[in-house]
Short mmCIF file of all heavy atoms in Angstrom, two decimals:
data_model
loop_
_atom_site.label_atom_id
_atom_site.label_comp_id
_atom_site.label_asym_id
_atom_site.label_seq_id
_atom_site.Cartn_x
_atom_site.Cartn_y
_atom_site.Cartn_z
N ASP A 312 104.89 19.40 -230.50
CA ASP A 312 105.72 18.19 -230.49
C ASP A 312 106.58 18.14 -231.76
O ASP A 312 106.07 18.15 -232.88
CB ASP A 312 104.82 16.96 -230.41
CG ASP A 312 105.57 15.72 -229.93
OD1 ASP A 312 106.73 15.53 -230.35
OD2 ASP A 312 105.00 14.96 -229.14
N GLU A 313 107.91 18.08 -231.58
CA GLU A 313 108.82 18.10 -232.72
C GLU A 313 108.83 16.79 -233.50
O GLU A 313 109.38 16.73 -234.60
CB GLU A 313 110.24 18.43 -232.24
CG GLU A 313 110.37 19.83 -231.66
CD GLU A 313 111.80 20.14 -231.22
OE1 GLU A 313 112.64 19.20 -231.29
OE2 GLU A 313 112.07 21.29 -230.85
N ARG A 314 108.26 15.74 -232.92
CA ARG A 314 108.22 14.45 -233.63
C ARG A 314 107.19 14.46 -234.77
O ARG A 314 107.25 13.61 -235.65
CB ARG A 314 107.86 13.34 -232.64
CG ARG A 314 108.88 13.14 -231.51
CD ARG A 314 108.36 12.11 -230.53
NE ARG A 314 107.10 12.53 -229.93
CZ ARG A 314 106.29 11.71 -229.24
NH1 ARG A 314 106.61 10.43 -229.13
NH2 ARG A 314 105.18 12.18 -228.72
N ILE A 315 106.25 15.40 -234.74
CA ILE A 315 105.20 15.45 -235.75
C ILE A 315 105.74 16.08 -237.03
O ILE A 315 106.39 17.12 -236.99
CB ILE A 315 103.99 16.25 -235.22
CG1 ILE A 315 103.47 15.63 -233.93
CG2 ILE A 315 102.89 16.31 -236.27
CD1 ILE A 315 102.35 16.41 -233.28
N THR A 316 105.46 15.47 -238.17
CA THR A 316 105.93 15.98 -239.46
C THR A 316 105.10 17.18 -239.89
O THR A 316 104.04 17.48 -239.31
CB THR A 316 105.84 14.89 -240.54
OG1 THR A 316 104.47 14.55 -240.74
CG2 THR A 316 106.62 13.64 -240.11
N ARG A 317 105.59 17.86 -240.92
CA ARG A 317 104.87 19.03 -241.43
C ARG A 317 103.48 18.64 -241.92
O ARG A 317 102.48 19.28 -241.59
CB ARG A 317 105.67 19.66 -242.56
CG ARG A 317 105.02 20.89 -243.18
CD ARG A 317 105.91 21.45 -244.28
NE ARG A 317 106.20 20.41 -245.29
CZ ARG A 317 107.01 20.60 -246.33
NH1 ARG A 317 107.61 21.77 -246.50
NH2 ARG A 317 107.21 19.62 -247.19
N LEU A 318 103.38 17.57 -242.72
CA LEU A 318 102.09 17.09 -243.17
C LEU A 318 101.28 16.52 -242.01
O LEU A 318 100.05 16.65 -241.97
CB LEU A 318 102.27 16.01 -244.25
CG LEU A 318 101.00 15.36 -244.79
CD1 LEU A 318 100.11 16.39 -245.45
CD2 LEU A 318 101.34 14.21 -245.74
N GLY A 319 101.98 15.91 -241.06
CA GLY A 319 101.30 15.32 -239.91
C GLY A 319 100.50 16.33 -239.11
O GLY A 319 99.45 16.01 -238.56
N ARG A 320 101.01 17.56 -239.00
CA ARG A 320 100.28 18.58 -238.25
C ARG A 320 98.94 18.88 -238.93
O ARG A 320 97.92 19.06 -238.25
CB ARG A 320 101.11 19.86 -238.15
CG ARG A 320 102.38 19.67 -237.36
CD ARG A 320 103.05 21.00 -237.00
NE ARG A 320 104.33 20.76 -236.36
CZ ARG A 320 104.48 20.41 -235.09
NH1 ARG A 320 103.41 20.27 -234.33
NH2 ARG A 320 105.67 20.20 -234.58
N PHE A 321 98.96 18.93 -240.26
CA PHE A 321 97.70 19.15 -240.98
C PHE A 321 96.76 17.96 -240.80
O PHE A 321 95.56 18.14 -240.58
CB PHE A 321 97.98 19.38 -242.46
CG PHE A 321 96.74 19.34 -243.32
CD1 PHE A 321 95.85 20.40 -243.33
CD2 PHE A 321 96.46 18.23 -244.10
CE1 PHE A 321 94.70 20.36 -244.10
CE2 PHE A 321 95.31 18.18 -244.88
CZ PHE A 321 94.44 19.26 -244.88
N LEU A 322 97.30 16.75 -240.87
CA LEU A 322 96.47 15.56 -240.73
C LEU A 322 95.83 15.50 -239.35
O LEU A 322 94.66 15.13 -239.20
CB LEU A 322 97.30 14.30 -240.97
CG LEU A 322 97.88 14.11 -242.38
CD1 LEU A 322 98.69 12.84 -242.46
CD2 LEU A 322 96.76 14.09 -243.42
N ARG A 323 96.58 15.87 -238.31
CA ARG A 323 96.03 15.85 -236.95
C ARG A 323 95.00 16.95 -236.76
O ARG A 323 93.96 16.73 -236.12
CB ARG A 323 97.16 16.02 -235.93
CG ARG A 323 97.99 14.76 -235.74
CD ARG A 323 99.18 15.00 -234.83
NE ARG A 323 99.83 13.74 -234.50
CZ ARG A 323 99.84 13.17 -233.30
NH1 ARG A 323 99.24 13.75 -232.30
NH2 ARG A 323 100.46 12.02 -233.09
N ARG A 324 95.29 18.14 -237.30
CA ARG A 324 94.37 19.26 -237.13
C ARG A 324 93.05 18.99 -237.85
O ARG A 324 91.97 19.32 -237.34
CB ARG A 324 95.01 20.54 -237.67
CG ARG A 324 94.21 21.80 -237.37
CD ARG A 324 95.03 23.05 -237.63
NE ARG A 324 95.53 23.09 -238.99
CZ ARG A 324 96.81 22.95 -239.33
NH1 ARG A 324 97.73 22.75 -238.39
NH2 ARG A 324 97.19 23.01 -240.59
N SER A 325 93.10 18.35 -239.01
CA SER A 325 91.89 18.05 -239.77
C SER A 325 91.30 16.68 -239.42
O SER A 325 90.25 16.32 -239.93
CB SER A 325 92.20 18.07 -241.27
OG SER A 325 93.18 17.10 -241.60
N ARG A 326 92.01 15.93 -238.58
CA ARG A 326 91.62 14.58 -238.14
C ARG A 326 91.63 13.56 -239.29
O ARG A 326 91.03 12.50 -239.17
CB ARG A 326 90.23 14.59 -237.48
CG ARG A 326 90.09 15.48 -236.24
CD ARG A 326 91.20 15.24 -235.23
NE ARG A 326 90.88 15.76 -233.91
CZ ARG A 326 91.22 16.96 -233.45
NH1 ARG A 326 91.85 17.80 -234.24
NH2 ARG A 326 90.93 17.32 -232.22
N LEU A 327 92.33 13.88 -240.38
CA LEU A 327 92.42 12.93 -241.49
C LEU A 327 93.27 11.72 -241.13
O LEU A 327 93.17 10.67 -241.78
CB LEU A 327 92.99 13.62 -242.73
CG LEU A 327 92.09 14.64 -243.42
CD1 LEU A 327 92.83 15.32 -244.56
CD2 LEU A 327 90.81 13.98 -243.93
N ASP A 328 94.13 11.85 -240.12
CA ASP A 328 94.95 10.71 -239.72
C ASP A 328 94.11 9.59 -239.12
O ASP A 328 94.58 8.45 -239.00
CB ASP A 328 96.02 11.14 -238.71
CG ASP A 328 95.42 11.73 -237.43
OD1 ASP A 328 94.39 12.40 -237.52
OD2 ASP A 328 96.01 11.51 -236.36
N GLU A 329 92.84 9.87 -238.78
CA GLU A 329 91.98 8.85 -238.17
C GLU A 329 91.22 8.02 -239.21
O GLU A 329 90.57 7.05 -238.85
CB GLU A 329 90.94 9.54 -237.25
CG GLU A 329 91.49 10.59 -236.32
CD GLU A 329 92.26 10.00 -235.15
OE1 GLU A 329 92.39 8.76 -235.09
OE2 GLU A 329 92.72 10.78 -234.29
N LEU A 330 91.31 8.37 -240.49
CA LEU A 330 90.50 7.69 -241.51
C LEU A 330 90.66 6.17 -241.54
O LEU A 330 89.66 5.45 -241.68
CB LEU A 330 90.82 8.27 -242.90
CG LEU A 330 90.20 9.63 -243.24
CD1 LEU A 330 90.70 10.11 -244.60
CD2 LEU A 330 88.69 9.56 -243.22
N PRO A 331 91.88 5.61 -241.41
CA PRO A 331 92.00 4.14 -241.45
C PRO A 331 91.24 3.43 -240.34
O PRO A 331 91.02 2.22 -240.43
CB PRO A 331 93.51 3.91 -241.32
CG PRO A 331 94.14 5.17 -241.83
CD PRO A 331 93.21 6.26 -241.39
N GLN A 332 90.83 4.15 -239.32
CA GLN A 332 90.10 3.51 -238.24
C GLN A 332 88.69 3.09 -238.65
O GLN A 332 88.01 2.39 -237.91
CB GLN A 332 90.05 4.44 -237.02
CG GLN A 332 91.40 4.59 -236.36
CD GLN A 332 91.46 5.75 -235.38
OE1 GLN A 332 90.53 5.95 -234.60
NE2 GLN A 332 92.53 6.52 -235.44
N PHE A 333 88.25 3.52 -239.84
CA PHE A 333 86.98 3.00 -240.35
C PHE A 333 87.04 1.48 -240.49
O PHE A 333 86.03 0.79 -240.32
CB PHE A 333 86.65 3.63 -241.72
CG PHE A 333 86.14 5.04 -241.61
CD1 PHE A 333 86.33 5.94 -242.65
CD2 PHE A 333 85.45 5.47 -240.50
CE1 PHE A 333 85.85 7.24 -242.56
CE2 PHE A 333 84.97 6.77 -240.40
CZ PHE A 333 85.17 7.65 -241.44
N PHE A 334 88.24 0.94 -240.78
CA PHE A 334 88.39 -0.51 -240.86
C PHE A 334 88.27 -1.13 -239.48
O PHE A 334 87.76 -2.25 -239.33
CB PHE A 334 89.73 -0.86 -241.51
CG PHE A 334 89.82 -0.46 -242.96
CD1 PHE A 334 90.66 0.57 -243.36
CD2 PHE A 334 89.05 -1.10 -243.93
CE1 PHE A 334 90.75 0.95 -244.69
CE2 PHE A 334 89.13 -0.72 -245.26
CZ PHE A 334 89.97 0.31 -245.64
N ASN A 335 88.77 -0.44 -238.45
CA ASN A 335 88.58 -0.92 -237.07
C ASN A 335 87.10 -0.94 -236.70
O ASN A 335 86.65 -1.81 -235.96
CB ASN A 335 89.32 -0.02 -236.08
CG ASN A 335 90.83 -0.19 -236.14
OD1 ASN A 335 91.55 0.71 -236.54
ND2 ASN A 335 91.31 -1.36 -235.75
N VAL A 336 86.33 0.04 -237.22
CA VAL A 336 84.90 0.08 -236.96
C VAL A 336 84.21 -1.11 -237.62
O VAL A 336 83.38 -1.79 -237.00
CB VAL A 336 84.29 1.41 -237.46
CG1 VAL A 336 82.77 1.38 -237.34
CG2 VAL A 336 84.85 2.59 -236.68
N LEU A 337 84.53 -1.38 -238.87
CA LEU A 337 83.93 -2.53 -239.57
C LEU A 337 84.29 -3.84 -238.88
O LEU A 337 83.46 -4.75 -238.80
CB LEU A 337 84.41 -2.56 -241.03
CG LEU A 337 83.86 -1.46 -241.95
CD1 LEU A 337 84.48 -1.56 -243.33
CD2 LEU A 337 82.34 -1.53 -242.03
N LYS A 338 85.49 -3.92 -238.37
CA LYS A 338 85.95 -5.14 -237.69
C LYS A 338 85.23 -5.32 -236.35
O LYS A 338 85.11 -6.45 -235.85
CB LYS A 338 87.46 -5.07 -237.48
CG LYS A 338 88.07 -6.35 -236.95
CD LYS A 338 89.58 -6.21 -236.81
CE LYS A 338 90.18 -7.46 -236.20
NZ LYS A 338 91.65 -7.32 -236.00
N GLY A 339 84.78 -4.24 -235.74
CA GLY A 339 84.08 -4.33 -234.46
C GLY A 339 84.91 -3.95 -233.26
O GLY A 339 84.43 -4.01 -232.12
N ASP A 340 86.17 -3.55 -233.48
CA ASP A 340 87.02 -3.14 -232.36
C ASP A 340 86.65 -1.75 -231.85
O ASP A 340 86.89 -1.43 -230.68
CB ASP A 340 88.50 -3.12 -232.79
CG ASP A 340 89.03 -4.51 -233.10
OD1 ASP A 340 88.56 -5.47 -232.46
OD2 ASP A 340 89.90 -4.63 -233.98
N MET A 341 86.11 -0.91 -232.74
CA MET A 341 85.80 0.47 -232.38
C MET A 341 84.41 0.85 -232.88
O MET A 341 83.80 0.12 -233.67
CB MET A 341 86.85 1.43 -233.01
CG MET A 341 88.25 1.26 -232.50
SD MET A 341 89.42 2.40 -233.31
CE MET A 341 88.77 3.98 -232.76
N SER A 342 83.95 2.00 -232.42
CA SER A 342 82.73 2.62 -232.91
C SER A 342 83.11 3.97 -233.53
O SER A 342 84.23 4.45 -233.34
CB SER A 342 81.74 2.82 -231.77
OG SER A 342 80.62 3.57 -232.19
N LEU A 343 82.20 4.56 -234.26
CA LEU A 343 82.48 5.91 -234.78
C LEU A 343 82.58 6.91 -233.64
O LEU A 343 83.37 7.86 -233.70
CB LEU A 343 81.37 6.34 -235.75
CG LEU A 343 81.30 5.58 -237.08
CD1 LEU A 343 80.10 6.03 -237.88
CD2 LEU A 343 82.58 5.79 -237.89
N ILE A 344 81.82 6.69 -232.56
CA ILE A 344 81.78 7.63 -231.44
C ILE A 344 81.97 6.87 -230.13
O ILE A 344 81.32 5.85 -229.90
CB ILE A 344 80.45 8.40 -231.40
CG1 ILE A 344 80.25 9.20 -232.68
CG2 ILE A 344 80.37 9.31 -230.19
CD1 ILE A 344 78.90 9.83 -232.82
N GLY A 345 82.86 7.37 -229.29
CA GLY A 345 83.12 6.75 -228.00
C GLY A 345 84.40 7.31 -227.41
O GLY A 345 85.10 8.12 -228.04
N PRO A 346 84.78 6.89 -226.20
CA PRO A 346 86.05 7.34 -225.62
C PRO A 346 87.23 6.91 -226.49
O PRO A 346 87.22 5.81 -227.05
CB PRO A 346 86.09 6.62 -224.26
CG PRO A 346 84.66 6.26 -223.98
CD PRO A 346 84.03 6.01 -225.31
N ARG A 347 88.22 7.76 -226.62
CA ARG A 347 89.38 7.41 -227.43
C ARG A 347 90.17 6.28 -226.78
O ARG A 347 90.39 6.28 -225.57
CB ARG A 347 90.30 8.63 -227.60
CG ARG A 347 89.78 9.65 -228.57
CD ARG A 347 89.71 9.11 -229.98
NE ARG A 347 91.01 8.77 -230.51
CZ ARG A 347 91.22 8.01 -231.58
NH1 ARG A 347 90.18 7.48 -232.21
NH2 ARG A 347 92.43 7.77 -232.02
N PRO A 348 90.59 5.27 -227.57
CA PRO A 348 91.37 4.16 -227.01
C PRO A 348 92.77 4.61 -226.63
O PRO A 348 93.39 5.39 -227.34
CB PRO A 348 91.38 3.14 -228.14
CG PRO A 348 91.26 3.97 -229.39
CD PRO A 348 90.39 5.14 -229.02
N GLU A 349 93.25 4.13 -225.50
CA GLU A 349 94.56 4.54 -225.00
C GLU A 349 95.55 3.40 -225.12
O GLU A 349 95.17 2.22 -225.21
CB GLU A 349 94.44 4.98 -223.53
CG GLU A 349 95.59 5.82 -223.02
CD GLU A 349 95.80 7.07 -223.84
OE1 GLU A 349 95.11 8.07 -223.61
OE2 GLU A 349 96.68 7.03 -224.75
N GLN A 350 96.83 3.74 -225.15
CA GLN A 350 97.88 2.74 -225.19
C GLN A 350 97.94 1.98 -223.86
O GLN A 350 97.70 2.56 -222.80
CB GLN A 350 99.24 3.40 -225.46
CG GLN A 350 99.28 4.20 -226.75
CD GLN A 350 100.59 4.95 -226.92
OE1 GLN A 350 101.66 4.39 -226.74
NE2 GLN A 350 100.50 6.23 -227.26
N SER A 351 98.27 0.70 -223.93
CA SER A 351 98.23 -0.14 -222.73
C SER A 351 99.18 0.36 -221.65
O SER A 351 98.87 0.29 -220.46
CB SER A 351 98.57 -1.59 -223.09
OG SER A 351 99.83 -1.67 -223.75
N VAL A 352 100.35 0.91 -222.04
CA VAL A 352 101.30 1.38 -221.06
C VAL A 352 100.74 2.56 -220.26
O VAL A 352 100.95 2.69 -219.05
CB VAL A 352 102.64 1.77 -221.73
CG1 VAL A 352 102.44 2.91 -222.74
CG2 VAL A 352 103.68 2.17 -220.69
N PHE A 353 99.97 3.41 -220.93
CA PHE A 353 99.36 4.55 -220.23
C PHE A 353 98.13 4.12 -219.44
O PHE A 353 97.81 4.73 -218.41
CB PHE A 353 99.01 5.65 -221.22
CG PHE A 353 100.19 6.25 -221.91
CD1 PHE A 353 100.30 6.27 -223.28
CD2 PHE A 353 101.24 6.78 -221.17
CE1 PHE A 353 101.40 6.81 -223.91
CE2 PHE A 353 102.35 7.33 -221.79
CZ PHE A 353 102.44 7.35 -223.17
N VAL A 354 97.43 3.08 -219.92
CA VAL A 354 96.29 2.56 -219.17
C VAL A 354 96.76 2.06 -217.81
O VAL A 354 96.15 2.35 -216.77
CB VAL A 354 95.59 1.45 -219.96
CG1 VAL A 354 94.57 0.72 -219.06
CG2 VAL A 354 94.88 2.01 -221.18
#
Side-chain angles (χ1 to χ4, degrees):
D312 199 320
E313 295 182 354
R314 298 175 300 166
I315 302 175
T316 64
R317 180 179 56 183
L318 177 62
R320 296 192 186 281
F321 169 75
L322 296 179
R323 284 174 171 249
R324 188 167 56 250
S325 61
R326 300 311 197 266
L327 290 176
D328 60 324
E329 313 286 2
L330 283 176
Q332 290 166 43
F333 283 152
F334 294 111
N335 288 113
V336 173
L337 290 176
K338 188 178 176 183
D340 294 328
M341 296 179 64
S342 173
L343 292 175
I344 300 172
R347 284 295 296 164
E349 198 57 83
Q350 302 175 48
S351 56
V352 62
F353 296 123
V354 169

